[in-house]
Amino acid sequence: MCRTSDLRRAVLAHNDDSARALRSELADRGAVAVNLLSSPGSGKTALLEAELALAHERGIPVAAVTADLATENDARRLARTGVPVQQVLTDGLCHLEAVMLRGYLAGWLPDETRILFVENVGNLVCPAAYDLGESLRVTLAAVTEGEDKPLKYPTAFGLSQLVLVTKTDLAEAARFDEAAFLENVARVNPGVEVVFTSVREGRGVGALLERALAVREGAVPHQPVMARTPGRTHPADGEPPHSHPHEPLPVADSR
């Protein structure tokens, strides 16, 4: 009888195969995908809307896929920016998978697209395990969520190549401890870039777009210390999570 762990590894390995294929397909057309992960209510859609509007204003050909369990509210909202947007309804599934994303992109993604933003289902557990063929993985956390978020969700933050802190205009009211948050991020992913943002104040808006453009143009992003292997997203049993310690990179503030 197949054990649950064996089945999980098989599912993840199949997903990784689809992700590699999608990454290659996007590269052949000169495009990259950006996978955005966060808890519900982090302000992910608001920030993405601002980034898409900026890209449209600058004439940068981008597109967006947004995933939810139900409703097309986010797609309608993002479409106001003037960029192509596709809604994915998962019908209860708590995450996107690469084969699902490839199916939605087939025959829809405009040929001129250079950056595809994928707003994953609001969840920091299931989506963290699935490679979507992205070239840049981003995890967001609002100041209202607490400084220990990276420690509670080490896979999501540990596999990210960029961390965005949102709603910083509420930091004082939420008594957000910036130093503690940065320390906790460094514990699960030393050296990863952290950018502080506020859509309301315009702080940090554009940083995500610029990072995506840099990745698309060939700049090498920071590699997470919890490196992926096919079907694996966590350190092996007994393996320390930071197998490749290094000096942390400067933290971007964008103030």
Side-chain angles (χ1 to χ4, degrees), residues 2-3 12 31 36 38 44-45 55 57-58 62 75 81 88 94 97 101 104 115 139 163 184 188 222 231 253:
C2 180
R3 296 182 303 170
L12 290 175
L36 303 174
S38 80
K44 179 165 77 269
T45 306
E57 178 184 325
R58 292 173 55 184
V62 303
T81 63
V88 175
C94 64
E97 296 180 6
L101 181 59
Y104 273 89
I115 300 173
T139 299
V163 173
N184 291 334
V188 300
H222 164 70
D253 196 329

Side-chain angles (χ1 to χ4, degrees), residues 187-226:
R187 288 178 63 182
V188 300
N189 197 345
V192 70
E193 182 182 10
V194 180
V195 177
F196 293 87
T197 72
S198 168
V199 173
R200 179 175 295 178
E201 297 178 343
R203 180 187 185 191
V205 173
L208 174 59
L209 178 61
E210 290 300 328
R211 180 63 180 271
L213 286 170
V215 170
R216 191 248 166 193
E217 291 166 5
V220 179
H222 164 70
Q223 294 299 313
V225 293
M226 293 164 60

